[in-house]
Amino acid sequence: MHKNPFKIAVLVSGSGSNLQVLIDLQDKLGIKIVAVISNKACAYALTRASNAGINTFVIDKDSQGQRYSRQAFEEQALSILQSHRPNLVVLAGFMKILTPFFVEGVSMLGVPTINLHPSLLPAYKGLDTHARVIKAGERHHGCSVHLVNAELDAGKLIAQSVLGVHPNDTPDTLQMRVHALEHKLLPMVVGLYASNAIDFLPLPLVLWDNQKP
Ligand code: GRF
């Protein structure tokens, strides 16, 4: 077991339903969310974090109303991480591409960064995964948690959750069902880190949803 609490920083850009699951499971997982950083001032995830009394940081626009450059965003985010010293950085619905400067900066703190992605990686990296999966006529879809490296959605896979695509699925129905899987997959992986069990995972963990395709 890691020394309690196992500290987590979460980067977000949007609604934050995955953040909410982590907030709600903090005690059960033995974690403490020490910082939530958003690149969007309007992200509802910030409200969820403040409601839970968690420190929030917005790195969106400067005092002149100009959006921060990628470099400026990453410098500020890194300095927040340096001062909060999390044991794990989680990208949960964080929609900005990170450069090697940030990825290496976090790894120099000795901290892994994980990302939640709505597809069965390595298939369907990038955006609009649900629509692309339907268009391609895939029979299966799902979500992945992977380590972040300098390449987009390409770091080592940790765990995936798989569901069957229904013939009448739309991007919206698929998104809803993938979200439900994400809400189980992400806390499970975070729990493995918090209990120091992640190193014992010999291969990526694959969970099958039991709904009929
Ligand atoms: C999730 O589908 C995640 O896979 C993707 O963005 C979405 C975030 O959802 N990267 P939420 O903000 O956690 O509700």
Side-chain angles (χ1 to χ4, degrees):
M1 216 32 169
H2 275 279
K3 274 196 213 105
N4 275 334
F6 185 78
K7 295 192 283 174
I8 292 182
V10 186
L11 272 66
V12 293
S13 302
S15 150
S17 65
N18 285 284
L19 168 69
Q20 187 68 57
V21 175
L22 294 179
I23 291 173
D24 295 343
L25 288 175
Q26 284 185 105
D27 289 347
K28 206 166 180 183
L29 295 174
I31 63 170
K32 181 173 168 62
I33 302 172
V34 292
V36 168
I37 304 172
S38 175
N39 65 323
K40 297 273 180 208
C42 60
Y44 184 64
L46 291 164
T47 306
R48 297 181 191 269
S50 323
N51 287 346
I54 296 166
N55 285 329
T56 59
F57 301 88
V58 178
I59 315 171
D60 187 342
K61 292 178 181 161
D62 64 19
S63 50
Q64 312 321 277
Q66 293 292 310
R67 200 167 289 286
Y68 283 114
S69 67
R70 205 176 290 280
Q71 172 84 13
F73 172 89
E74 294 188 349
E75 281 170 4
Q76 291 183 54
L78 268 180
S79 110
I80 294 163
L81 295 178
Q82 263 151 11
S83 61
H84 286 76
R85 292 272 157 193
N87 303 104
L88 177 69
V89 175
V90 179
L91 311 184
F94 180 68
M95 304 308 286
K96 205 174 172 73
I97 293 174
L98 294 165
T99 73
F101 170 78
F102 181 86
V103 176
E104 282 155 25
V106 180
S107 99
M108 274 162 64
L109 297 174
V111 179
T113 303
I114 60 172
N115 180 42
L116 174 64
H117 182 77
S119 81
L120 298 175
L121 291 171
Y124 301 99
K125 296 174 181 171
L127 298 173
D128 299 324
T129 58
H130 312 299
R132 285 156 60 208
V133 159
I134 290 178
K135 197 165 172 210
E138 300 285 1
R139 293 183 54 217
H140 297 104
H141 185 36
C143 51
S144 307
V145 177
H146 65 95
L147 280 170
V148 172
N149 64 12
E151 219 182 306
L152 180 69
D153 299 330
K156 183 175 173 243
L157 265 177
I158 301 167
Q160 295 187 310
S161 202
V162 185
L163 53 68
V165 178
H166 300 166
N168 51 356
D169 260 324
T170 65
D172 285 348
T173 60
L174 258 192
Q175 182 184 36
M176 255 171 50
R177 286 164 49 232
V178 169
H179 245 127
L181 294 187
E182 290 180 338
H183 295 163
K184 294 181 187 150
L185 190 70
L186 183 62
M188 190 195 74
V189 172
V190 168
L192 287 174
Y193 272 101
S195 60
N196 217 0
I198 199 79
D199 292 340
F200 300 106
L201 207 60
L203 290 167
L205 199 65
V206 179
L207 307 175
W208 284 77
D209 190 40
N210 56 11
Q211 299 169 54
K212 287 205 179 86

